[in-house]
Amino acid sequence: MELAWLFPGQGSQTAGYLHRLPDHEQVRRTLAQSAQVLGSDPLELDRPEALRSTVAVQLGLLIAGVAQARVLEAEGLRPDVVAGLSVGAFGAAVASGCLDFADALRLVRLRAQGMEREFPRGWGMLSVSGLRETALQALLDGIHAERPQTALYLANLNSASQFVVAGDDSSLHRLQQAARRAGARQVERLDVAVPSHCERLEPVSRELAQALQGLRLREPDVAYMANTTARLLRGAADIARDLAEGVMRPVRWHDSNRGLLERGVRCLVEMPPGQALTRMVANLNCQVVALAAQSMQPDSLVLRIRRACSGGSATPANR
């Protein structure tokens, strides 16, 4: 197993990112298909005002990831395994061959609408870097002990010292101050308006599970790394369960990265619009090529991938 596609999650979006996709037939095809399913121009999803909407952001990320993956596939490149962080899991499921893109668009719209409905305001997510998991958990436990009504949830385990916590605005503010006092290297609110990956999103998870039951999924022809368990999945039913439960369970991305490398992946390509997943791989200090598609011209990207897969450029992770 050598080649992996990585699909980023919410927080990686920037204004105009869909407009910066490669000028390629597969991008145009993906945008046209999206317009037909959604009934609107997908290029409106990356406008600054649209990025305030969870629905617009999650749909745009799906479209960008699938478009780039199709460009690479048109160049004869197919991954051995796919993984997606949070909503990126839906792009990964499409790339695995399990989920139709049109169905993925409808599912992501349902997911994002449900999240906005459950939490219209006053919630979000906080990134904390530079503390170990035990130290961060101690801060969460301390805040809960002081204020039992506090809503804070460890949502993303991105590396050994980089985590994301979901919660209400007041609780996140308290954690922000406590983490800085505890010596965290970086503490910042993410551009996410809902508390993803916590038990409060169980109603959305149930809706997704019901919607997935009504779809005709295919057995994947590419292995899929699960968000919820950090295990490789090769069955459609297992992937459907991960897509539904992922919205309400922590993302074990650090374990997923280590699992990919342990299984022989030596080249990882991050789909647009992010570079954060590439940096996380680089921080593992391993002999692997990690490439962010958005930072490279298509021809150069394809050449780098082919060189990596030929065994001639296994260098420390780079962008």
Side-chain angles (χ1 to χ4, degrees), residues 50-132:
L51 295 183
R52 293 193 290 269
S53 163
T54 297
V55 177
V57 170
Q58 293 192 13
L59 285 171
L61 293 176
L62 171 66
I63 293 166
V66 170
Q68 180 68 66
R70 285 175 168 178
V71 169
L72 294 175
E73 185 173 352
E75 297 298 326
L77 295 168
R78 287 277 287 165
D80 300 291
V81 59
V82 293
L85 190 152
S86 188
V87 71
F90 289 83
V94 173
S96 77
C98 175
L99 182 64
D100 284 333
F101 178 52
D103 288 334
L105 286 167
R106 298 184 185 98
L107 287 169
V108 168
R109 180 165 58 185
L110 176 69
R111 180 184 192 267
Q113 288 174 339
M115 295 169 82
E116 283 192 342
R117 179 193 66 236
E118 295 293 323
F119 300 97
R121 65 184 62 84
W123 296 78
M125 305 187 79
L126 182 76
S127 173
V128 180
S129 300
L131 296 180
R132 309 296 288 188

Side-chain angles (χ1 to χ4, degrees), residues 3-7 68 72 267-271 278 289-293 301 305:
L3 181 59
W5 294 167
L6 306 180
F7 294 79
Q68 180 68 66
L72 294 175
C267 180
L268 303 97
V269 183
E270 181 175 359
M271 301 299 114
T278 310
V289 175
L291 306 169
L301 176 63
I305 295 171

Side-chain angles (χ1 to χ4, degrees), residues 72 75 77 297-307:
L72 294 175
E75 297 298 326
L77 295 168
Q297 293 298 318
D299 290 347
S300 298
L301 176 63
V302 170
L303 181 60
R304 290 288 302 277
I305 295 171
R306 286 180 173 154
R307 284 179 176 173

